[in-house]
Amino acid sequence: MYSEELVVGWACRKVNRPVKWTSDRTEAFLADAHGRDHVAHAEMAMDKNGKFLAMRVNTTANLGAYLSTFATMVPSYLYAFLLAGQYSTPLIYSEVKAVFTNTAPVDAARGAGRPEATFLLERLVDVCAEDMGLDPAEIRRRNFIPVDAFPYQTPVVQCYDSGDYNAALDKALALADYEGFAGRAEEAKSRGKCRGIGLSSYVEACGIAPSAAVGQLGAGVGLWESAQVRFNPTGNVQVFTGTHSHGQGHETTFAQLVTEQLGVPIENIEVIHGDTSKTQFGMGTYGSRSLAVGGVAIAKACEKLIEKGKKIAAHALEAAEGDIEFADGNFAIAGTDKAMNIAEVAFNAYVPHSYPEGLEPGFDENAFFDPMNFSFPAGTHICEVEVDPDTGVVEIVKYSAVDDFGKLINPMIVEGQVHGGIVHGVGQALLEGCQYDSDGQLITASYMDYAMPRADNVPSFDVDYAPTNPPHNPLGVKGCGEAGAIGAPPAVINAISNALGIKHIDMPATPENVWRAAQTATS
Amino acid sequence: MYNFSYQKVSSIADAVDAIQKAEDGKFVAGGQTMLPTMKHRLASPSDVIDLGGIDELKGISVDGDTVTIGAMTTHAEVAASSDVQGAIPALANLAGNIGDPAVRNRGTLGGSIANNDPAADYPAAVIGLGATVKTNKREISGDEFFTGMFETALEDDEVITAVLFPKADASAYMKFENPASRYAIVGVFVASSGGAVKVGVTGATACAHRGMRLEEALNGNFTADAVDGVEIPIEKMNSDIHASAEYRAHLVKVMTKRAVEACS
Amino acid sequence: MEMISEQRIPASLDEVWTALNNTEILKQAMPGCESFDAVEENKFEAKITAKVGPVKAKFKFNVEMTDIDAPNGYTIMGEGQGGVAGFAKGSAKVDLTEDGTDTILAYNVQANVGGKLAQLGARLIDGAAKKMADEFFGNFNELLSDNDSA
Amino acid sequence: MNVNGESISGEVEDRMLLVEFLREHLRLTGTHVGCDTSQCGACVVHVNGVSVKSCTTLAVQAEGGDVTTIEGLAINGELHPMQQAFKDNHGLQCGFCTPGMVMSAIDIVNRNGSDVDEATVRKELEGNICRCTGYHNIVKAVHAGAKNMGG
Amino acid sequence: MAENGVGASVRRKEDYRFLTGKGSYTDDLNVVGQTHAYFVRSPHAHATINSIDTAAAAAADGVVAVLTGDDLAADGIGPLICGVNVTSDDGEPHRAPVHSALAQGKVNYVGDHVAVVIAETLAEAKDAAEKVEVDYGILPAVTDTATAADDDQQQIHEVAPNNQCYNWPFGDKAAVDAAFESAHKVSSLDLVNNRMVTNPMEPRAAAGEYNSGTEEITLHLTTQNPHVHRLVMSAFNQLAPEHKLRVVGPDVGGGFGVKIFRVLRRVGCRLGLP
């Protein structure tokens, strides 16, 4: 939460007038919570086959001037608990020092902790591959958690639900034509360009979260989600969710869940969110949780409606409740053609002229869902770049992503989330760097100096899926909103390192930094 | 923005009259730099005198070896002009890469060179092509027009009317963009005419300038390789979070080579 | 940022030193300076309108002279408030050395800005500071040269 | 001025920006403000048929001009081909940059024709920033819209 | 049914309004009698606030009120909270400095909130904000992540010695060290994870309305979770009882984490529950 929000709420009562405040972009740069800002040292111990034996990580995390709402958790629980990644490393030790500075507060930013962990680990794995003389794909394969080991308990608290990391890697390698890379690199060389390819095999914990788990970590409320599915007498449906959509398309995805389950035409379903006076208490949208947690709550409310509908239909059709079956929007007496559709049931529920005692009028159900575990999307992203060694300019020539999000409710929307996440991650890797001078003045406080990714900074992407079935989630879904931002940064930096034959380059890999690295690499 | 008084004038005489009467007046051409500055309250002119209504400041004409572009001609108009494309394609190309399409639809040639931002594109072309800046008072050679960071030879009540660009046998502009603002970190305009080479450099130093050392090397040996031996003095280069002086000096050479290659 | 430069001034070291302590000369040399008044010994208040391209901001500077080593040099420091534009602070360490009949004035300038100027003008700060310092010492040189010929 | 085909007149302060006039006086809030340095493009409208950033244009400068905003594209509830293409291709997520993006897209097609290539589309969208979509689907949408506009 | 059900790439229901300019974002809301707020922010990264003189601003054209941290404290509005506890290696909870919504006594970063001006128009609020005189005592600033906790650094918050919020070890160090001792090969890497600004395209906004008849505050916010915003503002900031506070997140133009209010700690205690 922010000062401005509280002050506006307080001030409108104090002056007894409506008060509006809107940030301009410069204020947003100054006072919106920033993200990331770690310095870290990481080490991996290996046996002679390149098998990971243990990892040690030392991290300093900048929290800014004050603690923002989630500041403490991002570099701790959302970071260190993801350090196992896709690997069966048996021993992990992490130390995180969180510090205050005279800079804007730092808090959650797309991925929150998980991109930091993934960048560190997936860069380190490439360094390990180089040190062991192994192909980056090979060292990953040797260390992946095997498909038959799920659910898999990592040494850092998290217990992964499901995954088939080899499947995603193989599919991504094929999609990226990894085999053909050497030829493309040769061809690029003839044009004076350095071509590189980089892998990133990430896992993340989202679908935040099981209340029991976060309770143990010091959270004082649960992280369930709520839903209410209400039929109006004329048969259309209002779905109230405690989640909140700000671009994710809930009004569509959630309507799809309801149309699938209840058989009501999608145009007759309205999803309502974001108003404390309209919707029941809910936890909101972040940590890729809306579908994996909120969607399940909706499904459960729909189940309750079906149960209730059976009672009403049984009464109306003069049958035993046990004989009523529900399918495709119709309540029917099993083995007969006597049936009524769900809209008729709804009308009946609000016109209960002859209801027996015990049958409650109304057709409106609530449900809450508290998952047993996080959901653990994973995947392999492969980035191919061409570096112009004369200028240091990096062009992403090909980007392939294969993700496991479990079951997809709306593939179009999921793919859009992947695209957006990738570009957020590419932005971090190549363009975006927030800089303060030594006096604490923010010198990247506008789009004139803070480089946002534009359409011509990125190519179109090749996206595919290697789904597994998460056992804890009744819908079989995992979150997808943050995956790209988590997977992309190491894929891009690994590709640049590969192109130049260097150990590492820090983000953002600006043209000057890349040019300097290229100078060092060739000298 | 602070308040000010806006006047749209329809003749140069009215414009001059208005600025002389104003306490602290400013001409606005396209306004693409001035309005954001005023919005941030970093400038507070008492009067804003809009030159957009003066028809004689607009338009493009080709006469023999000279392309004349009115000061209030927008970047988009220059980029799209078949006259400019035919006579000096590098100039059309330069105009078509200033800012973004919406900015190009309002930003003007006169506004750009009068502002003389150290990272603006047009000054490189004015210098590289050896253009002449025509005002309501006189004609100023490109070399003499740009006098320092954001400074020009213009007097307070002087209005640019047009820029006269001589055709070149071959010319090219190569720009290395700032990834955030898309201004030039370094932009180099190379023009070759009758064996004589001119090089206009922007972005690199406090003010656009002629690349004399580069010209020396390229006169008589108009090849990219000729640039290799040229030493670019680092101490004069701009340095900021986007590019150090050393990197800028390097880019001046790379962009020059690429411009020379594009000329052939 | 930091920058180092020098001026050769056709005047004696003592003349230059005197001028460096003359508020009227300092005022005339400073671009955009409207007033430069002593408030106490070695402390001054200056009003300056700084103009860099489209940006025009009025500053009120508190100026102080320190490390005074007459007649060989001093450090002149200023901190200015520019209202909504932000603030600027800078110092110039000035060293004088005699060279024949001329004096070499070497200056080492450090400048910083804060507020909107820093937030929006990062790419221009170094250039603008250098320009102002060079103009100031250039004007100063000219003023002394004119004095000589007068 | 003429806004979305309707003649509009009003007294405004000289310092009022076109975007402020549209949003505050005419309550045409589809045109958004996403930055203060003319970079993001959320405020793009058409003035006399070409795209301009309404946050960097004074209202008085548009006097007598024809202004088209996102609200003026759909006719009788039927989406403009470019709007339809954005919907069909999932070219928007949070919707905030979308009005400016659509106005710029139409301008791109107007200038480059219906067979504009991908590199040109990407290059010419440089004045419009989107944080949600990763541009992939926007580029697809502009191509689809270009075809529909052309046909 | 299946064509619009699970697994179908259904075109979005929300798109029509966004594509026709009919989305309703917080800044699009306009109500009768609306005033505009503009914040006076610190231009300094680290400074004491010696005094704030609001008289000239309060007297400026169109100004409705100029409010500071003292006014906020006088009305009993609580400071902003951090939601999650992390236990440091000394067994103590993480160090949590008080964060008043309007600074009191000290500012700690450029952009920190010093005062708010409320006026009839935004331009008037900005004009008046320039008239708020703040006397700052400038302190050295700490900006570098790697060295912020070094002994010679300026102390920012009294409660956090060495500018350290926590040091949080996790894992079996002895076992890990032993594994490193006997490893065939150790690879290592130093890296920086660069600071980002999240930049949803819609800047944050808030619009508040108070109904003195029902004593209810309605707050429209660019929020990712309105209920939690309400809960915290009620339980921790004492803005209003939960049933007298309505929080609405209308159309929100991107969040990416920057518009969250997250998990909170100790709500139960605050509410007097076990």
Side-chain angles (χ1 to χ4, degrees):
Chain A
M1 194 173 77
Y2 291 93
S3 292
E4 296 91 349
E5 299 166 348
L6 182 59
V7 167
V8 166
W10 162 65
C12 71
R13 181 173 57 199
K14 194 160 184 72
V15 303
N16 200 10
R17 295 271 301 271
V19 176
K20 184 160 87 175
W21 169 79
T22 303
S23 172
D24 63 31
R25 185 56 62 183
T26 307
E27 288 180 292
F29 272 103
L30 291 175
D32 278 10
H34 294 176
R36 324 280 192 247
D37 204 342
H38 289 190
V39 292
H41 175 73
E43 298 165 285
M44 187 75 87
M46 289 172 284
D47 73 9
K48 60 183 191 313
N49 298 315
K51 189 96 175 118
F52 303 155
L53 302 173
M55 184 163 80
R56 242 182 342 215
V57 181
N58 209 306
T59 307
T60 303
N62 189 344
L63 302 184
Y66 302 103
L67 294 181
S68 177
T69 35
F70 211 43
T72 50
M73 187 166 182
V74 175
S76 53
Y77 311 144
L78 287 179
Y79 169 73
F81 293 171
L82 261 296
L83 285 170
Q86 298 194 352
Y87 310 109
S88 57
T89 316
L91 291 163
I92 295 174
Y93 178 75
S94 152
E95 207 169 305
V96 178
K97 182 159 66 182
V99 298
F100 292 107
T101 59
N102 295 113
T103 60
V106 178
D107 205 306
R110 200 169 195 166
R114 292 152 284 168
E116 293 91 313
T118 304
F119 181 65
L120 176 133
L121 179 61
E122 286 303 287
R123 277 269 53 236
L124 181 61
V125 167
D126 262 33
V127 172
C128 291
E130 178 69 26
D131 288 351
M132 294 298 294
L134 290 171
D135 184 90
E138 177 57 26
I139 199 164
R140 284 176 170 80
R141 262 197 207 98
R142 288 189 189 183
N143 287 286
F144 276 161
I145 296 161
V147 67
D148 56 8
F150 291 91
Y152 178 81
Q153 178 61 52
T154 69
V156 280
V157 176
Q158 299 290 13
C159 181
Y160 296 166
D161 50 0
S162 67
D164 185 345
Y165 301 151
N166 269 307
L169 176 68
D170 289 344
K171 215 167 178 179
L173 292 172
L175 196 60
D177 186 19
Y178 196 68
E179 293 278 304
F181 171 74
R184 296 194 294 278
E186 271 307 305
E187 187 276 330
K189 203 172 169 186
S190 72
R191 290 182 282 112
K193 298 283 174 68
C194 307
R195 201 158 171 128
I197 196 160
L199 275 64
S200 159
S201 297
Y202 76 93
V203 62
E204 69 131 326
C206 69
I208 290 173
S211 298
V214 296
Q216 277 179 350
L217 295 175
V221 296
L223 276 179
W224 44 266
E225 196 44 83
S226 67
Q228 182 182 4
V229 180
R230 175 191 299 167
F231 269 82
N232 295 319
T234 53
N236 50 40
V237 180
Q238 288 175 293
V239 180
F240 300 86
T241 170
T243 68
H244 182 269
S245 183
H246 29 279
Q248 297 88 343
H250 294 175
E251 292 167 39
T252 306
T253 304
F254 289 169
Q256 284 180 261
L257 286 178
V258 174
T259 191
E260 175 84 20
Q261 222 171 337
L262 301 183
V264 179
I266 198 164
E267 55 274 16
N268 293 351
I269 302 165
E270 194 69 31
V271 175
I272 292 145
H273 60 89
D275 185 339
T276 57
S277 287
K278 288 183 182 167
T279 66
Q280 68 288 26
F281 195 93
M283 304 309 294
T285 288
Y286 46 85
S288 304
R289 68 188 300 277
S290 290
L291 182 60
V293 190
V296 175
I298 291 171
K300 287 167 74 89
C302 289
E303 282 169 22
K304 289 185 183 176
L305 281 169
I306 292 168
E307 287 314 304
K308 172 117 187 236
K310 284 181 179 171
K311 289 191 174 71
I312 296 169
H315 172 69
L317 297 171
E318 298 175 334
E321 191 188 330
D323 291 339
I324 302 291
E325 286 176 345
F326 180 73
D328 297 335
N330 287 306
F331 293 90
I333 304 173
T336 74
D337 58 359
K338 282 187 77 179
M340 61 197 291
N341 73 30
I342 197 164
E344 291 169 320
V345 167
F347 185 78
N348 192 296
Y350 290 107
V351 190
H353 287 167
S354 59
Y355 268 27
E357 201 178 329
L359 183 54
E360 199 180 324
F363 205 40
D364 183 358
E365 293 290 347
N366 254 319
F368 289 73
F369 177 64
D370 196 347
M372 295 301 291
N373 197 354
F374 292 84
S375 95
F376 295 90
T380 290
H381 287 206
I382 301 180
C383 178
E384 195 165 324
V385 299
E386 264 188 29
V387 178
D388 178 348
D390 290 339
T391 60
V393 167
V394 175
E395 184 192 354
I396 296 178
V397 288
K398 190 169 166 61
Y399 194 104
S400 315
V402 175
D403 297 293
D404 168 15
F405 299 134
K407 188 193 280 183
L408 309 183
I409 306 297
N410 185 323
M412 175 192 81
I413 288 176
V414 171
E415 197 170 317
Q417 292 290 312
V418 175
H419 296 156
I422 291 171
V423 173
H424 220 132
V426 167
Q428 173 168 23
L430 293 182
L431 297 160
E432 300 180 45
C434 177
Q435 291 191 42
Y436 286 90
D437 72 9
S438 58
D439 287 339
Q441 294 293 330
L442 181 63
I443 51 177
T444 49
S446 81
Y447 293 143
M448 298 290 282
D449 289 300
Y450 186 91
M452 290 285 281
R454 318 275 180 111
D456 58 358
N457 291 120
V458 286
S460 291
F461 308 108
D462 298 315
V463 175
D464 205 345
Y465 308 96
T468 62
N469 184 24
H472 297 296
N473 191 285
L475 291 174
V477 300
K478 299 181 173 190
C480 67
E482 295 165 294
I486 295 167
V492 175
I493 299 298
N494 285 344
I496 297 171
S497 304
N498 176 251
L500 298 178
I502 55 172
K503 181 179 177 185
H504 179 63
I505 182 166
D506 272 324
M507 301 187 290
T510 61
E512 175 160 5
N513 291 345
V514 173
W515 173 70
R516 287 188 184 281
Q519 302 293 106
T520 325
T522 51
S523 66
Chain B
M1 218 174 325
Y2 297 109
N3 234 330
F4 56 83
S5 160
Y6 172 86
Q7 300 174 61
K8 192 163 191 170
V9 291
S10 53
S11 73
I12 294 169
D14 288 352
V16 171
D17 187 51
I19 202 115
Q20 284 170 345
K21 282 188 181 141
E23 182 193 333
D24 182 18
K26 281 282 266 182
F27 291 128
V28 63
Q32 300 301 287
T33 300
M34 188 168 143
L35 286 174
T37 310
M38 288 168 62
K39 274 162 61 180
H40 282 288
R41 300 184 163 223
L42 293 172
S44 52
S46 62
D47 294 75
V48 169
I49 299 142
D50 190 344
L51 305 176
I54 308 177
D55 289 337
E56 61 186 292
L57 298 182
K58 296 174 186 169
I60 298 165
S61 63
V62 182
D63 182 14
D65 280 343
T66 305
V67 179
T68 302
I69 303 178
M72 286 299 291
T73 311
T74 64
H75 309 324
E77 288 161 350
V78 174
S81 158
S82 52
D83 282 344
V84 181
Q85 285 168 2
I88 315 173
L91 186 61
N93 178 49
L94 175 147
N97 280 292
I98 299 171
D100 58 58
V103 167
R104 293 196 284 276
N105 281 331
R106 292 207 54 87
T108 64
L109 166 61
S112 169
I113 64 171
N115 187 47
N116 190 22
D117 189 297
D121 297 300
Y122 262 131
V126 170
I127 292 170
L129 285 166
T132 302
V133 180
K134 209 173 154 185
T135 75
N136 58 331
K137 298 185 175 184
R138 57 190 164 143
E139 293 193 351
I140 310 167
S141 78
D143 286 350
E144 285 165 10
F145 183 80
F146 304 104
T147 55
M149 184 176 174
F150 287 111
E151 284 179 357
T152 67
L154 287 176
E155 291 161 17
D156 286 344
D157 59 351
E158 193 168 8
V159 180
I160 302 170
T161 55
V163 180
L164 283 58
F165 292 97
K167 282 187 197 172
D169 298 343
S171 61
Y173 178 63
M174 286 291 157
K175 170 184 184 174
F176 191 85
E177 282 181 347
N178 177 321
S181 69
R182 305 288 175 110
Y183 271 86
I185 280 180
V186 165
V188 178
F189 197 104
V190 171
S192 165
S193 285
V197 179
K198 275 195 159 194
V199 179
V201 182
T202 189
T205 57
C207 176
H209 64 278
R210 268 177 79 177
M212 301 303 276
R213 292 166 196 241
L214 294 162
E215 288 182 11
E216 258 170 54
L218 289 167
N219 271 321
N221 182 15
F222 193 56
T223 65
D225 290 345
V227 175
D228 281 331
V230 179
E231 203 177 309
I232 306 293
I234 288 175
E235 59 280 3
K236 293 235 162 117
M237 293 286 132
N238 294 335
S239 178
D240 59 31
I241 56 170
H242 304 287
S244 68
E246 183 192 1
Y247 181 53
R248 272 194 166 84
H250 168 75
L251 287 176
V252 168
K253 286 170 75 166
V254 176
M255 291 300 116
T256 306
K257 288 167 89 160
R258 291 185 181 180
V260 170
E261 277 164 2
C263 280
S264 60
Chain C
M1 67 131 325
E2 184 175 347
M3 66 211 154
I4 297 164
S5 190
E6 62 178 39
Q7 294 272 339
R8 168 179 288 273
I9 303 176
S12 73
L13 191 139
D14 279 335
E15 283 171 314
V16 175
W17 174 249
T18 308
L20 276 176
N21 288 279
N22 179 330
T23 53
E24 187 52 35
I25 289 184
L26 295 176
K27 179 189 155 188
Q28 285 179 36
M30 191 69 214
C33 187
E34 285 147 27
S35 67
F36 197 107
D37 303 316
V39 284
E40 55 184 278
E41 195 183 349
N42 298 325
K43 287 194 176 170
F44 311 87
E45 207 175 84
K47 284 190 178 145
I48 294 171
T49 300
K51 196 176 166 308
V52 179
V55 175
K56 196 170 179 181
K58 281 186 174 18
F59 283 89
K60 210 170 107 183
F61 270 93
N62 290 315
V63 180
E64 191 176 357
M65 289 167 187
T66 61
D67 303 333
I68 297 168
D69 172 22
N72 302 311
Y74 62 38
T75 298
I76 183 164
M77 299 167 56
E79 267 192 31
Q81 295 297 328
V84 71
F87 56 88
K89 55 182 182 176
S91 67
K93 187 175 185 316
V94 181
D95 285 305
L96 305 179
T97 38
E98 214 154 357
D99 187 33
T101 57
D102 294 348
T103 302
I104 307 293
L105 183 156
Y107 55 95
N108 180 337
V109 173
Q110 294 200 343
N112 279 307
V113 296
K116 273 221 162 128
L117 292 171
Q119 290 150 21
L120 296 165
R123 75 185 169 100
L124 302 170
I125 293 164
D126 285 12
K130 185 170 176 353
K131 177 180 163 217
M132 281 183 193
D134 289 345
E135 272 181 25
F136 172 75
F137 288 107
N139 291 344
F140 180 80
N141 192 348
E142 263 177 40
L143 285 166
L144 284 193
S145 312
D146 291 350
N147 280 353
D148 259 17
S149 58
Chain D
M1 71 182 79
N2 210 302
V3 179
N4 298 333
E6 278 181 48
S7 174
I8 302 289
S9 64
E11 281 287 309
V12 298
E13 276 191 325
D14 285 354
R15 65 170 155 175
M16 178 164 275
L17 297 165
L18 178 57
V19 68
E20 293 167 342
F21 183 69
L22 295 170
R23 287 180 57 80
E24 290 164 27
H25 278 236
L26 305 182
R27 295 286 188 249
L28 293 171
T29 54
T31 302
H32 297 144
V33 178
C35 80
D36 41 29
T37 51
S38 307
Q39 298 272 313
C40 84
C43 68
V44 169
V45 300
H46 293 180
V47 176
N48 299 328
V50 299
S51 63
V52 303
K53 293 191 163 170
S54 62
C55 78
T56 314
T57 306
L58 297 171
V60 288
Q61 288 182 301
E63 199 182 340
D66 277 322
V67 178
T68 307
T69 70
I70 190 73
E71 290 92 344
L73 292 181
I75 296 168
N76 297 328
E78 194 177 325
L79 296 177
H80 181 281
M82 189 58 79
Q83 290 171 309
Q84 187 63 44
F86 269 70
K87 180 173 170 137
D88 291 344
N89 291 279
H90 191 31
L92 66 155
Q93 289 181 21
C94 82
F96 192 81
C97 77
T98 307
M101 203 62 87
V102 170
M103 299 311 285
S104 286
I106 293 170
D107 184 64
I108 288 171
V109 178
N110 286 344
R111 276 181 293 107
N112 295 282
S114 57
D115 53 356
V116 56
D117 62 39
E118 174 168 347
T120 306
V121 170
R122 286 189 178 274
K123 178 73 191 149
E124 298 224 336
L125 284 176
E126 73 173 320
N128 292 78
I129 303 177
C130 169
R131 191 53 137 174
C132 294
T133 63
Y135 303 106
H136 180 118
N137 286 341
I138 290 178
V139 173
K140 253 169 77 181
V142 176
H143 276 121
K147 293 220 162 54
N148 296 345
M149 282 169 69
Chain E
M1 239 65 78
E3 67 173 317
N4 288 325
V6 170
S9 287
V10 178
R11 297 308 182 253
R12 299 201 319 169
K13 290 165 74 78
E14 42 275 83
D15 285 356
Y16 185 83
R17 71 173 187 273
F18 293 141
L19 281 163
T20 52
K22 302 293 182 199
S24 179
Y25 301 87
T26 301
D27 189 52
D28 297 342
L29 304 173
N30 290 291
V31 295
V32 174
Q34 173 174 279
T35 63
H36 298 264
Y38 188 74
F39 284 82
V40 177
R41 294 174 187 276
S42 171
H44 303 291
H46 198 196
T48 55
I49 300 177
N50 300 328
S51 65
I52 305 176
D53 183 350
T54 60
D61 285 349
V63 171
V64 175
V66 184
L67 303 170
T68 67
D70 288 346
D71 298 312
L72 197 68
D75 281 4
I77 302 296
L80 303 177
I81 61 152
C82 172
V84 178
N85 184 35
V86 174
T87 304
S88 198
D89 55 355
D90 57 8
E92 296 289 318
H94 69 261
R95 277 42 162 192
V98 174
H99 185 190
S100 173
L102 293 171
Q104 284 195 286
K106 196 158 166 279
V107 286
N108 291 303
Y109 69 102
V110 173
D112 207 349
H113 314 73
V114 176
V116 63
V117 179
I118 295 161
E120 299 293 342
T121 70
L122 181 58
E124 285 169 338
K126 285 186 180 181
D127 290 343
E130 288 180 29
K131 296 185 160 71
V132 175
E133 291 277 340
V134 187
D135 179 23
Y136 294 103
I138 297 167
L139 300 167
V142 181
T143 59
D144 179 46
T145 306
T147 59
D150 288 359
D151 284 337
D152 59 352
Q153 286 283 4
Q154 172 76 24
Q155 176 87 20
I156 302 171
H157 299 292
E158 220 167 275
V159 297
N162 280 86
N163 297 325
Q164 191 171 302
C165 177
Y166 58 74
N167 190 57
W168 179 70
F170 186 83
D172 185 342
K173 187 168 192 304
V176 170
D177 288 349
F180 269 86
E181 288 292 314
S182 60
H184 167 76
K185 175 88 193 167
V186 171
S187 292
S188 70
L189 180 66
D190 288 291
L191 55 74
V192 172
N193 207 300
N194 47 324
R195 182 183 274 238
M196 296 177 77
V197 184
T198 311
N199 272 305
M201 291 319 295
E202 181 205 20
R204 289 188 298 110
E209 215 176 329
Y210 178 64
N211 183 326
S212 57
T214 61
E215 298 182 322
E216 191 184 41
I217 296 172
T218 300
L219 199 51
H220 282 78
L221 297 178
T222 49
T223 173
Q224 296 178 219
N225 43 359
H227 276 283
V228 187
H229 253 103
R230 179 176 73 164
L231 171 60
V232 172
M233 286 186 173
S234 182
F236 289 90
N237 306 125
Q238 292 84 40
L239 180 61
E242 221 175 338
H243 65 296
K244 292 293 184 188
L245 179 59
R246 176 183 174 200
V247 175
V248 184
D251 285 328
V252 172
F256 314 111
V258 81
K259 295 170 181 170
I260 301 185
F261 202 138
R262 291 261 193 155
V263 197
L264 18 139
R265 203 168 80 82
R266 296 187 302 262
V267 170
C269 306
R270 178 69 69 161
L271 300 179
L273 303 174

